[in-house]
């Protein structure tokens, strides 16, 4: 068998091999699945460049990438837009280097500002690294509800119990529009442009076998919702939102406990609360559940840019934009937001 590594872009006939490689790799995440190729293309209108390295017929490495071109936020090649994790997944160092070098060459050819790899760990020595902004939260769970509940700190556990006592209910639905109505209102209230509804419809379609939509109700009214994904032994509550009423009713606390409980009963053993920025309400909320933050190491190969891109709400230059966005009527925010958000993935 040939020992030469060949790097190509993903073709339809490669998908089964790609996903088999992901399923077998111990460091693989949900964000490495080939379905993201279609998701970012159809859902966000971005151009994917999914790199695949083979030695003979055997897959040795993968690197999912997509190109973001924005007059406001710059021109980048990212692994992967819409994902909290990314970077190369490889069987050995030489294979990882092969796809990474190919990605750097592609970034140069496309003339982007920067190549961004959303690594969990710092894999590329000497690359500029952003590791003080984002963290992820993961925790082991068991099939014992009482044990999982007791593992939540006392004050947070009390909020979960209050939500239960108030009669909150959880419903699983296939109605993406129902979830989107809650999510869009929630992110507007945070001063953030909302992704297009098409994005969520595409995610639900592409990942239908591992996607769940859950809605929390109180007296028949929808107050919170979460879109979750299941990968191997992990559940990821990926997109969540709530209406103002949920705060007084402990809707978010109940929603995540309900998901944790149901996931545990189906054999899930890791609850992945996902990415948050340090110093935000989401960061504090997750930490209050007893989850310890684990830094994410986003690494950059700079092409035209002289500095690491800093497109995030904590950047002071977006302060007035965020304040103004919170005051927009929901109908206006939902119309303008998707135009901006697709470039913020």
């Amino acid at each position: 068998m040939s020992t030469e590594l060949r790097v190509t872009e993903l073709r339809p006939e490669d998908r089964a091999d790609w996903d088999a490689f992901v399923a077998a790799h111990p460091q693989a995440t949900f964000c490495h699945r080939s379905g993201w190729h279609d998701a970012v293309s159809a859902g966000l209108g971005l151009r994917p460049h999914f790199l695949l390295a083979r030695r003979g017929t055997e897959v040795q490495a993968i690197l999912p990438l997509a190109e973001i071109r924005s007059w406001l936020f710059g021109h980048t090649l990212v692994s992967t837009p819409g994902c909290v994790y990314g970077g190369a997944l490889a069987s050995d160092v030489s294979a990882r280097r092969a796809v990474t070098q190919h990605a750097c060459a592609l970034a140069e050819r496309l003339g982007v500002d920067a190549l961004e790899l959303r690594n969990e760990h710092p894999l590329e020595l000497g690359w500029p690294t952003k590791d003080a902004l984002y963290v992820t939260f993961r925790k082991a769970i068991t099939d014992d509800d009482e044990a999982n509940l007791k593992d939540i700190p006392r004050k947070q556990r009390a909020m979960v119990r209050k939500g239960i006592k108030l009669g909150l209910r959880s419903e699983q639905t296939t109605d993406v529009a129902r979830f989107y109505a809650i999510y869009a209102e929630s992110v507007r209230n945070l001063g953030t442009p909302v992704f297009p509804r098409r994005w969520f419809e595409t995610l639900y379609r592409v990942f239908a076998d591992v996607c769940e939509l859950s809605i929390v109700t109180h007296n028949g009214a929808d107050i919170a919702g979460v879109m979750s994904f299941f990968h191997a032994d992990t559940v990821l509550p990926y997109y969540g939102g709530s209406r103002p009423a949920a705060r007084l009713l402990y809707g978010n606390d109940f929603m995540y406990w309900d998901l944790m409980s149901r996931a545990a009963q189906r054999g899930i053993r890791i609850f992945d609360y996902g990415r948050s920025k340090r110093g935000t309400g989401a960061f504090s909320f997750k930490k209050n559940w007893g989850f310890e933050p684990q830094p994410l190491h986003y690494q950059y190969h700079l092409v035209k840019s002289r500095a690491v891109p800093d497109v995030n709400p904590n950047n002071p230059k977006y302060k007035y934009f965020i304040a103004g966005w919170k005051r927009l009527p929901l109908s206006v925010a939902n119309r303008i937001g998707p135009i901006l958000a697709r470039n913020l993935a």
Side-chain angles (χ1 to χ4, degrees), residues 115-329:
L115 164 66
E116 176 180 294
L117 302 184
R118 296 180 176 177
N119 295 328
E120 293 185 68
H121 309 288
L123 298 175
E124 307 304 328
L125 296 178
W127 283 33
T129 301
K130 186 187 295 183
D131 56 8
L133 178 63
Y134 292 115
V135 299
T136 190
F137 293 84
R138 293 193 186 101
K139 194 173 185 180
I141 58 177
T142 75
D143 61 356
D144 185 336
D145 263 1
E146 280 304 310
N148 290 331
L149 194 56
K150 287 179 181 178
D151 208 29
I152 300 171
R154 182 178 57 83
K155 288 185 178 180
Q156 191 64 47
R157 185 166 66 241
M159 293 180 182
V160 171
R161 293 192 188 280
K162 286 177 181 178
I164 295 171
K165 288 180 180 178
L166 285 169
L168 299 185
R169 296 288 182 267
S170 168
E171 300 176 12
Q172 284 65 64
T173 181
T174 60
D175 190 347
V176 177
R178 183 182 176 191
F179 163 77
Y180 186 76
I182 301 168
Y183 181 78
E185 182 177 347
S186 180
V187 296
R188 188 283 309 268
N189 293 342
L190 292 172
T192 304
V194 68
F195 287 112
R197 192 170 88 179
R198 181 182 71 251
W199 172 237
F200 299 93
E201 292 170 341
T202 302
L203 289 174
Y204 192 70
R205 172 179 57 81
V206 170
F207 299 113
D209 58 327
V210 294
C211 183
E212 179 194 88
L213 292 173
S214 184
I215 306 293
V216 174
T217 66
H218 180 252
N219 293 335
D222 294 350
I223 64 168
V226 60
M227 171 181 271
S228 303
F229 299 105
F230 296 84
H231 174 79
D233 64 347
T234 301
V235 60
L236 303 91
Y238 211 76
Y239 288 110
S242 61
R243 292 187 163 127
R247 189 178 183 88
L248 297 176
L249 296 168
Y250 309 98
N252 288 307
D253 312 279
F254 172 83
M255 178 171 69
Y256 291 112
W257 164 249
D258 172 75
L259 174 63
M260 183 183 292
S261 176
R262 290 186 296 100
Q265 296 310 310
R266 62 185 277 179
I268 295 299
R269 291 297 168 261
I270 301 292
F271 193 89
D272 186 339
Y273 242 140
R275 185 183 78 179
S276 289
K277 290 178 284 292
R278 294 183 186 274
T280 63
F283 176 96
S284 299
F285 179 81
K286 295 170 185 180
K287 205 167 186 304
N288 289 343
W289 278 69
F291 286 60
E292 284 302 315
Q294 303 163 36
L296 292 173
H297 300 266
Y298 287 9
Q299 297 193 278
Y300 299 83
H301 170 67
L302 302 181
V303 181
K304 289 186 174 180
S305 179
R306 294 185 178 180
V308 170
D310 189 22
V311 182
N312 81 86
N314 289 355
N315 188 329
K317 75 178 185 179
Y318 299 120
K319 174 182 177 182
Y320 296 108
F321 173 87
I322 292 170
W325 197 270
K326 290 179 180 180
R327 295 193 293 269
L328 285 178

Side-chain angles (χ1 to χ4, degrees), residues 103-114:
C104 291
L106 176 62
E108 301 278 351
R109 190 163 65 251
L110 293 173
V112 301
D113 299 322

Side-chain angles (χ1 to χ4, degrees), residues 5 55 90 92-99:
L5 278 167
R55 184 174 283 117
D92 56 45
V93 174
S94 64
R96 178 175 60 79
R97 286 176 178 164
V99 290

